[in-house]
Amino acid sequence: MTFDPITAAIRFGSGLSPRFAPPSDLDALLDQARRPDRAAEAFPIQPFEEFVHRMAEYRTLVKRRRDTRGTADFEAARKAANVYNKAARQDAVRWMGHAILRRTRADDGLRERLTGFWADHFTAFGKGGIARWGGSSYVETSIRPHVMGRFDDMLVEVIRAPLMLMYLDQDRSIGPNSQRGLKLRERGKPAGLNENLAREVLELHTLGVDGPYTQADVTQLAELFTGMDVQPPNGFNFRRNLAEPGAETVLGRTYGGGQATFADVEAALRDLAAHPATAAHIARKMAVHFVSDTPDPGLVQHLEARFLATDGDLGQVTQALLEHPAAWSRDAGNVKQPFDFVASAFRALDLGPEAFDGINERQALALLHVPMSHMGQTWQRPAGPDGFPEEDSAWITPQGLAARLRWAVSTPAILIKDLPDPRDFVETALGPRAPDAVRFAARASESVREGIGLILTSPAFQRT
Amino acid sequence: MTLSRRAFMALGCSAAASPLLTPVALASAPFDQRLVVIILRGGMDGLGVVTPYGDPNLATLRGPQRVGGRGGHLDLDGFYAMHPAMAPLWPMWKAGQLSFVQAVSTPYRDKRSHFDGQDILEAGTQDEGGTPARDGWLNRMLQTVPGLRAETAYAIGQGEMYLLKGAAPVSNWSPEVDLSISPQGLLLADLIMHDDPMFRDALAEALELADGDGTAVSDMTGGESPQGTMNAMQRARGGKGHIKVAEFAAKRLREDSRIAAFSINGWDTHRGQTRGLERAVGRLADTLMTLRTTLKSEWKRTTVIAMTEFGRTVRSNGSDGTDHGTGGAMILAGGAVKGGRVLGDWPGLSEADLYARRDLMPTRDVRAHAAWVIRGLFGTDRTALETSIFPGLDMGDDPGLLL
């Protein structure tokens, strides 16, 4: 098996569309992730370096609310904080809409899918305050520009991202013998390492859970990480007075020892990125995500070899994925994850920005966010730093499938003004792959709405 | 007119021809006791729910409490009184099927974040500053049970139940995802999924579940309107969804399920606590009543544990609310419970008695009570409870929670 346009659009892109032809060859497909990012221009999402100002402003408002408690000014302070928070929350919903529109009204599906994959690999979200609404900005700034770049560059970018530092508690970690640590301990206050980020970097981001590291490596890396902190509105800030003095040894290599700087952290991250265990971990994960829960071993080896040969050039690794015959096998492919399903359904229906006119925040949540939660994928909120599950069996559960069917027969009918004739839509959505049973269902359904819903819920549409 | 799937089949569709009627296999469960775990998300104010009105410091911290009479707290034992919105549970209390544990908490301390607090509550681990285990304690308990089937345990409702996440097979269902499609649509859905076993089996089970929760799967008008679906989804966010969840749980527990877990939200009462707490307590009371009513004869074999990520500050915060605290309360209900008691070592509310001079001092690990319940219900080995299910826990003496 080799490249075919339909599989390219469905398995590696945003799906088929009545507006855009599928990519004609491998170069055209790769070009979707290489060329200038027109989708981001058309449907903007606030970059994190701007979003972080909101965090600073909100902190000021919250402080005022706290300081005015019990005074006449409290009510006004409370309102101001609420209004500010609400605006950010509404923007977060709008950005979810833009993420959908980038898939329906732009033609760079490969970039969208790679962004989704890497955003999940480097899961991070705000746990409280206004940071809760910054998930899209994090992805926009720390993930999206790097999906065809070098893995170590993305890793360094992600590890210093404020949302990641907060999500995995790095901003709580203090070198016990740092200036600040000594001072706190003198006053009888707790001051110590928090290993959370260091552990996940080794276990999830680089080497993998079966990788060749020990608890000692985790602790040493956690010591090396001390100093990384978040300070809105500047975002990332390396604070030397938090850094544990002395050199640290991770996987047998020694870092730091002089005056602590972020460069020591960066050196360790780049070495971890170049480790063969990282290449094996990433290769397998990409093959599982894009092709099959049980990928062809030859495909995994091919990706791994390319990762190693190119020092983790992700453009090259992506190309390796797409040029391997096993990536194009027509055996039943993966089940689409809920967001990919919802967005590809909208792409087949050619949903445009006007569909969201007059839809308020509450309705948008009821039409998109709540149903995706029922399908098992709460938008930008996986249960843990290991991201959403890859196994098809985690998605096609009784509840998950019922939620897909319920969504497919209702939401499109609300958002799309003129639903297409199901007999035509079956060809638009599935192309020449449409099975006879689905063609029959498209003809035999009692209403347009159900016909569309059934086509979208068919395994032929649900699988890539 | 609505028409259930079975009625539709009876109207002339040959049941034999339809794989939609494939029943969910009924397995003999490995045990007969029922356990329901309710996560009270947001941080329940234990002092407001089971109020120590006999503590002389309470009035200074929270204002005077009205106990007895219309709209007042209900006196439990001369020291504690329960929230007025729990009035429907009074007979349950009198029957010895409801008890409370005061001044308990998880090992989580100081940061007081909902997110981390709930993670630790559901992971069942110590607060070690790192990511807690990737599976939940109830799942790890299930991993010790041989011959388990997915139907044995149900995670119910929208949102993930971390508590039940893990290697042991568990089912999920949310009554909110009721299928809503015409009879013809159902037949066509089966047709298009027939050749893909994963889809076919999931659909068959979904129909079984949707049909079994009291609402019709399909109706003659071709399903509810899209707008109706949207309205239903919106309603479910704030309305009586908790009752549907409790009904569904009880129905499964009457059949082959033995364990159910779900959440009740809305406990984060930073302001307007009087009204907010009344609503949340009301939902909890509705839920317990619905479980008892729907479980019928199985209620006598049932234990319900309701637990929260942390308690709230002992002082009101100046906007008729309370902020995130430490020590809190746990609620136990069910026919298997040795109830009618408020348990726990009361630490007192004087300044010196408080945790960090602001929170109720936890006097026991809430996990110890959960562990003793599990041991009492399922005979789980103590070593397993203290090492793998609740790592680092010292169960201490048996508080005698069950009959």
Side-chain angles (χ1 to χ4, degrees):
Chain A
M1 285 289 166
T2 53
F3 180 93
D4 81 86
I6 302 292
T7 305
I10 293 174
R11 186 171 293 172
F12 302 109
S14 303
L16 298 175
S17 153
R19 180 177 294 265
F20 302 102
S24 52
D25 55 31
L26 187 57
D27 268 345
L29 175 59
L30 280 162
D31 203 36
Q32 292 186 346
R34 286 182 180 143
R35 62 191 172 202
D37 193 347
R38 286 171 306 188
E41 222 170 272
F43 306 107
I45 288 170
Q46 186 170 46
F48 203 87
E49 54 268 28
E50 288 174 26
F51 184 86
V52 74
H53 288 272
R54 296 186 181 210
M55 289 165 58
E57 176 66 20
Y58 190 65
R59 278 186 192 186
T60 312
L61 292 170
V62 166
K63 185 175 180 313
R64 204 173 91 206
R65 186 176 68 191
R66 198 169 48 233
D67 293 346
T68 55
R69 242 192 196 144
T71 75
D73 297 332
F74 174 74
E75 202 45 35
R78 188 186 65 76
K79 247 190 203 134
N82 283 1
V83 166
Y84 200 81
N85 180 55
K86 185 177 172 192
R89 195 183 66 218
Q90 288 176 334
D91 278 339
V93 175
R94 189 167 305 125
W95 295 332
M96 177 174 72
H98 283 192
I100 290 171
L101 290 169
R102 287 177 182 189
R103 299 214 177 186
T104 65
R105 286 295 176 90
D107 205 21
D108 291 350
L110 180 63
R111 179 184 284 118
E112 305 304 339
R113 294 290 310 286
L114 290 169
T115 302
F117 170 77
W118 288 109
D120 185 74
H121 182 74
F122 290 115
T123 287
F125 52 83
K127 294 190 276 192
I130 216 153
R132 280 176 296 173
W133 318 121
S136 293
S137 295
Y138 158 69
V139 174
E140 194 72 357
T141 296
S142 301
I143 304 286
R144 193 173 175 95
H146 300 285
V147 297
M148 293 291 270
R150 290 172 49 97
F151 177 74
D152 59 349
D153 288 342
M154 179 153 39
L155 178 67
V156 169
E157 228 17 76
V158 158
I159 296 313
R160 49 181 286 159
L163 226 51
M164 180 63 84
L165 293 169
M166 294 189 295
Y167 175 58
L168 293 178
D169 303 314
Q170 185 59 40
D171 60 339
R172 307 271 177 184
S173 188
I174 301 171
N177 300 302
S178 65
Q179 281 173 35
R180 177 104 186 110
L182 289 173
K183 228 179 258 170
L184 284 170
R185 291 199 296 157
E186 229 167 73
R187 285 189 242 146
K189 293 197 173 161
L193 292 182
N194 187 308
E195 295 180 352
N196 205 1
L197 180 65
R199 181 180 306 282
E200 304 309 8
V201 163
L202 294 170
E203 177 184 327
L204 300 176
H205 301 156
T206 62
L207 308 176
V209 67
D210 302 320
Y213 64 92
T214 63
Q215 175 57 41
D217 292 312
V218 174
T219 310
Q220 287 284 294
L221 189 61
E223 283 188 16
L224 182 62
F225 278 178
T226 52
M228 291 201 287
D229 197 21
V230 181
Q231 263 178 347
N234 301 321
F236 176 75
N237 187 25
F238 193 86
R239 289 171 61 193
R240 201 165 290 143
N241 66 339
L242 296 178
E244 182 71 1
E248 282 89 16
T249 304
V250 181
L251 297 183
R253 289 199 197 182
T254 303
Y255 303 92
Q259 202 173 52
T261 66
F262 181 65
D264 303 330
V265 173
E266 196 176 325
L269 291 174
R270 292 196 192 276
D271 285 343
L272 287 170
H275 197 284
T278 302
H281 178 210
I282 299 298
R284 182 174 169 80
K285 196 166 171 183
M286 280 186 89
V288 165
H289 181 81
F290 285 99
V291 182
S292 161
D293 290 356
T294 49
D296 176 80
L299 172 66
V300 178
Q301 280 157 21
H302 186 62
L303 288 173
E304 185 180 340
R306 187 68 58 88
F307 191 104
L308 286 171
T310 62
D311 289 333
D313 180 332
L314 296 179
Q316 286 291 326
V317 176
T318 303
Q319 184 167 343
L321 168 72
L322 298 176
E323 69 195 14
H324 196 279
W328 301 90
S329 155
R330 286 298 302 118
D331 298 340
N334 275 336
V335 170
K336 293 173 185 173
Q337 293 189 5
F339 181 75
D340 292 337
F341 158 54
V342 164
S344 63
F346 280 143
R347 183 174 172 87
L349 290 161
D350 196 33
L351 173 116
E354 68 286 349
F356 295 122
D357 289 348
I359 298 286
N360 65 26
E361 182 195 0
R362 219 179 136 75
Q363 291 166 327
L365 292 177
L367 293 168
L368 302 168
H369 196 278
V370 174
M372 281 198 289
S373 280
H374 284 142
M375 295 176 209
Q377 189 170 46
T378 304
W379 173 244
Q380 294 178 341
R381 287 283 187 291
D386 48 345
F388 289 110
E390 291 289 351
E391 311 86 337
D392 293 349
S393 57
W395 303 110
I396 301 306
T397 61
Q399 171 176 343
L401 182 59
R404 288 183 190 226
L405 182 56
R406 185 177 166 94
W407 180 85
V409 298
S410 58
T411 295
I414 295 170
L415 286 181
I416 309 284
K417 262 217 178 66
D418 297 301
L419 284 179
D421 186 317
R423 289 166 298 183
D424 301 329
F425 183 69
V426 71
E427 310 299 328
T428 312
L430 296 170
R433 287 186 180 188
D436 289 343
V438 182
R439 286 209 171 92
F440 174 80
R443 280 200 306 277
S445 58
E446 282 179 2
S447 64
V448 170
R449 169 172 87 77
E450 278 195 7
I452 301 291
L454 288 167
I455 293 163
L456 294 175
T457 321
S458 69
F461 189 82
Q462 296 285 333
R463 291 189 182 275
T464 65
Chain B
M1 166 197 175
T2 62
L3 184 66
S4 80
R5 184 174 55 83
R6 286 205 180 84
F8 167 71
M9 294 300 175
L11 274 178
C13 237
S14 158
S18 172
L20 293 185
L21 272 190
T22 309
V24 174
L26 291 177
S28 59
F31 35 69
D32 206 30
Q33 301 295 321
R34 269 74 167 170
L35 173 65
V36 179
V37 181
I38 305 176
I39 303 291
L40 308 169
R41 293 186 197 277
M44 178 179 76
D45 180 40
L47 295 182
V49 171
V50 51
T51 304
Y53 74 93
D55 190 300
N57 290 304
L58 186 72
T60 325
L61 296 160
R62 288 285 180 97
Q65 303 292 317
R66 202 150 72 80
V67 176
R70 278 166 67 93
H73 275 67
L74 291 86
D75 185 24
L76 297 175
D77 58 5
F79 185 81
Y80 292 108
M82 71 180 185
H83 193 279
M86 285 193 160
L89 301 180
W90 186 249
M92 206 184 274
W93 167 262
K94 293 307 279 180
Q97 296 181 344
L98 174 66
S99 57
F100 301 90
V101 188
Q102 257 298 9
V104 286
S105 78
T106 70
Y108 181 58
R109 291 292 181 277
D110 298 330
K111 287 188 288 180
R112 302 182 178 88
S113 137
H114 292 300
F115 183 89
D116 296 334
Q118 289 174 21
D119 271 3
I120 286 174
L121 173 68
E122 294 182 74
T125 54
Q126 306 282 59
D127 178 13
E128 282 159 344
T131 315
R134 299 223 196 283
D135 48 9
W137 61 261
L138 198 49
N139 192 284
R140 289 197 300 277
M141 191 282 281
L142 291 170
Q143 291 171 28
T144 68
V145 179
L148 193 77
R149 302 177 54 92
E151 305 89 82
T152 303
Y154 260 90
I156 304 168
Q158 186 193 339
E160 197 146 8
M161 294 301 289
Y162 183 11
L163 184 72
L164 267 173
K165 201 182 148 194
V170 166
S171 295
N172 294 276
W173 184 253
S174 170
E176 292 170 46
V177 298
D178 261 3
L179 295 169
S180 174
I181 189 167
S182 69
Q184 166 82 342
L186 274 186
L187 290 176
L188 293 173
D190 176 56
L191 176 74
I192 60 175
M193 294 183 192
H194 190 68
D195 293 336
D196 193 318
M198 183 180 276
F199 281 78
R200 183 183 62 215
D201 296 349
L203 180 69
E205 202 180 322
L207 289 172
E208 196 70 32
L209 292 168
D211 211 23
D213 72 356
T215 52
V217 168
S218 65
D219 64 53
M220 294 294 278
T221 60
E224 61 186 306
S225 71
Q227 206 64 43
T229 306
M230 182 161 90
N231 294 343
M233 289 191 281
Q234 289 190 358
R235 269 198 312 276
R237 290 166 61 78
K240 294 281 177 193
H242 60 285
I243 291 180
K244 288 190 82 175
V245 166
E247 277 172 356
F248 176 79
K251 283 182 179 160
R252 300 315 304 171
L253 291 169
R254 280 184 60 77
E255 296 187 17
D256 49 330
S257 299
R258 293 297 173 266
I259 290 172
F262 54 85
S263 311
I264 299 180
N265 300 338
W267 301 92
D268 196 18
T269 48
H270 285 285
R271 60 186 290 267
Q273 167 153 326
T274 309
R275 214 163 51 125
L277 192 61
E278 186 179 306
R279 280 198 198 137
V281 171
R283 277 195 294 274
L284 175 62
D286 284 350
T287 299
L288 293 176
M289 290 304 289
T290 305
L291 284 173
R292 193 181 76 163
T293 314
T294 317
L295 273 162
K296 297 179 188 150
S297 57
E298 301 303 339
W299 175 251
K300 65 177 180 289
R301 280 185 276 275
T302 299
T303 302
V304 183
I305 305 179
M307 56 211 300
T308 190
E309 67 260 37
F310 42 62
R312 309 190 70 82
T313 50
V314 296
R315 292 179 190 82
S316 299
N317 64 9
S319 48
D320 182 31
T322 49
D323 296 321
H324 301 178
T326 308
M330 175 189 205
I331 296 156
L332 295 161
V337 166
K338 192 171 161 191
R341 301 178 300 160
V342 183
L343 300 135
D345 297 322
W346 180 246
L349 291 174
S350 77
E351 181 85 12
D353 295 331
L354 301 183
Y355 179 80
R357 300 166 69 180
R358 52 172 272 154
D359 302 339
L360 181 65
M361 178 70 76
T363 52
R364 198 161 180 189
D365 193 327
V366 71
R367 299 179 303 161
H369 295 90
W372 280 110
V373 166
I374 286 172
R375 182 156 171 73
L377 290 178
F378 309 124
T380 312
D381 178 51
R382 180 163 177 163
T383 312
L385 281 163
E386 291 183 330
T387 55
S388 63
I389 298 170
F390 295 112
L393 172 68
D394 175 5
M395 286 170 68
D397 296 332
D398 185 353
L401 301 170
L402 304 180
L403 285 174

